[in-house]
Structures are given as C-alpha cells and as structure tokens.
Amino acid sequence: MSQVNYQNVEIRQQENIVLEEVNLQVQEGEFVYLIGKVGSGKSSLLKTMYGELDIHSGNANVLDYDMARIRRKQIPALRKRIGIVFQDFQLLIDRNVRDNLDFVLKATGWNDKGKRTLRIEEVLEQGGMSTKGYKMPHELSGGEQQRTALAKVLLTAPDILLLDEPTAALSPAMTKKMVGLIRRLVAERKLTIALIEHNMGVVRELADYIYFLHEGTVHTHGTQKDVLENPAVRELYMGLSGGMAI
C-alpha cells in the first residue's frame, strides 16, 4: 500500500520553482532515500510531506491526506502520524532526556504518568539510551543526541519516519550504531522511512529505493542497484560529490 504518492508535483519557494514533474511513491514498510547535491530540493520535498511547504500543483497524497488541498487545521492530525528527525536534533536544553520525552507525551494527550514512564523506558531501551535518561542535552555526545531525537519521534508510534541527514554529525562508529538502530526499527515495526543522506555507505546499507534529484526534478529513481550503478548517475553524483565513490 502506498503511503506517499506524488504525481507531476511542482514545489515552489515563494515564486521560485524548486522541483517540478516530481513522481514519487513510498510503500508501507519501505526505506526510501533522497540523494542529490546541496540545493537540489531534497529538504523541500520532505517538508511538503508534513505540510511545512505547500504543493504548488499536481497530485500529492500522504497517509490519505490530499497535500495539495489540505487545510491548516488538518496538519496537526497528519503530523501525529509522522515522525520527523531534524539535523539540529531540536531537544529542549533545560530538561534532561527523560523530561524531553515526557514533554512530548504530555503534549500529545498521554495523561497517565505511569503509562508515560513505561513508554519512555521502552523507547530509551530501543535506542540504546536506557542509562542516559538523567543526562542533559549538553552532556550527550552527537550520537546520543541523535538517538534521543529519534526516541522523541518514536514515542507516538508514527506510520512514517522522515529523517534529514541523521548521520551528518556523527563519527563513523556512531554512524554504524545509528544504521543498526534504523535497520532494527524497520524490521521490528515495519516503519515507512524517507531519508535524506549524503553518506553513500549508509545508503548502500539501508536503501530499498532511491530518488536522485538533479536540476530541479527527479533525474533517476529505482532500486539501489538501478540508481547507484547507472552510468549517468555515477558521473553526475561523483562530480557533485567531489569524486566520492558510490
């Protein structure tokens, strides 16, 4: 079942066309990567999936919401079903890890303190953070902050997880741990994931399907093999990535 379905979509920032003729599908439980150079429209495309940026034209459906016609009052309900992890983590700096998570549950209607505590412990265990709940954000490593941010969005059991370069600030060792955590989430919870990533090692580890954005549109899409072994993509992306092997 398709949870994201875009047909001939055009996306604009003010009056500037960011992307046009976008055709994209993400199936339930699928792991989809968006790759391309900085400024190719990856983040803008992700933003349209949770209503942060409007669809200018075309047909766009996310979790049965018509994103071209969605009303502002419908967006909170949509976002309850979508987990979003940003590059800057967006943790509350005046609260420890557990209190960051508790804040999210209170804000989404979890009134029973005992149930909140159990849920917090569950997601901390999933993310390998069960011994870090007392720590303040500034006391965490980059990898721990990223895992806390991921735990925040998993609290409410989303249908779709959107990740904007989740390994960008991580060391190779932390990247490996993050990859393992994401792989486990896909296997255990059958999450649908759309992810922006520049680290081709991570893409090769996880991607079911890839969309390569270039010059204002989806240049190529297909399975990992179809895209990464495509001569045109290799030439364009290697050139754009300073000769990085893919």
Side-chain angles (χ1 to χ4, degrees):
M1 183 177 111
S2 179
Q3 293 194 322
V4 180
N5 190 353
Y6 281 32
Q7 297 178 350
N8 298 316
V9 165
E10 183 176 300
I11 300 167
R12 295 190 179 191
Q13 290 271 19
Q14 297 177 344
E15 292 304 312
N16 299 314
I17 296 175
V18 178
L19 289 167
E20 56 187 345
E21 298 181 11
V22 174
N23 293 290
L24 174 148
Q25 282 194 344
V26 184
Q27 304 298 325
E28 184 178 8
E30 191 173 36
F31 206 126
V32 170
Y33 269 88
L34 308 177
I35 64 172
K37 69 175 181 178
V38 173
S40 61
K42 302 182 301 297
S43 292
S44 295
L45 179 55
L46 220 58
K47 286 178 180 178
T48 65
M49 294 180 189
Y50 60 93
E52 182 69 20
L53 191 61
D54 292 337
I55 300 293
H56 183 76
S57 64
N59 298 313
N61 188 287
V62 177
L63 295 172
D64 295 324
Y65 285 88
D66 184 343
M67 301 307 293
R69 295 175 179 82
I70 193 169
R71 297 178 180 180
R72 291 292 117 187
K73 65 181 181 181
Q74 294 177 293
I75 289 177
L78 168 68
R79 290 181 180 173
K80 283 185 177 180
R81 299 179 62 190
I82 297 177
I84 309 160
V85 179
F86 299 97
Q87 293 181 50
D88 60 0
F89 311 133
Q90 297 196 348
L91 301 177
L92 300 171
I93 62 173
D94 62 338
R95 306 172 194 223
N96 67 24
V97 169
R98 281 196 178 86
D99 287 343
N100 261 275
L101 302 183
D102 197 45
F103 178 84
V104 173
L105 290 179
K106 286 180 180 177
T108 52
W110 287 58
N111 298 317
D112 187 309
K113 184 177 179 180
K115 289 182 179 179
R116 292 202 311 271
T117 299
L118 288 173
R119 182 61 181 148
I120 288 168
E121 294 307 317
E122 182 183 4
V123 296
L124 287 176
E125 179 68 28
Q126 286 178 338
M129 293 286 290
S130 56
T131 63
K132 308 289 184 179
Y134 68 94
K135 287 197 170 186
M136 301 295 286
H138 71 271
E139 297 176 308
L140 301 173
S141 68
E144 290 168 343
Q145 289 185 46
Q146 186 64 284
R147 281 183 281 162
T148 302
L150 186 57
K152 278 180 62 179
V153 302
L154 293 176
L155 282 169
T156 53
D159 296 301
I160 295 176
L161 190 59
L162 305 178
L163 300 157
D164 192 344
E165 295 194 62
T167 66
L170 305 185
S171 68
M174 284 295 101
T175 294
K176 187 174 182 179
K177 287 184 178 180
M178 181 61 69
V179 167
L181 173 58
I182 295 171
R183 183 189 286 120
R184 192 166 72 248
L185 289 171
V186 173
E188 292 176 357
R189 302 182 58 169
K190 296 184 179 178
L191 271 175
T192 301
I193 299 181
L195 187 151
I196 294 173
E197 184 61 75
H198 286 104
N199 185 327
M200 286 298 104
V202 175
V203 175
R204 285 194 177 279
E205 283 273 350
L206 295 173
D208 293 325
Y209 207 86
I210 299 172
Y211 287 84
F212 173 51
L213 276 57
H214 182 63
E215 294 187 343
T217 193
V218 176
H219 177 280
T220 307
H221 64 92
T223 65
Q224 183 183 135
K225 182 177 180 180
D226 290 340
V227 175
L228 297 187
E229 295 185 11
N230 182 305
V233 174
R234 290 179 66 86
E235 181 179 354
L236 286 167
Y237 202 76
M238 288 175 72
L240 296 172
S241 303
M244 178 176 63
I246 63 174

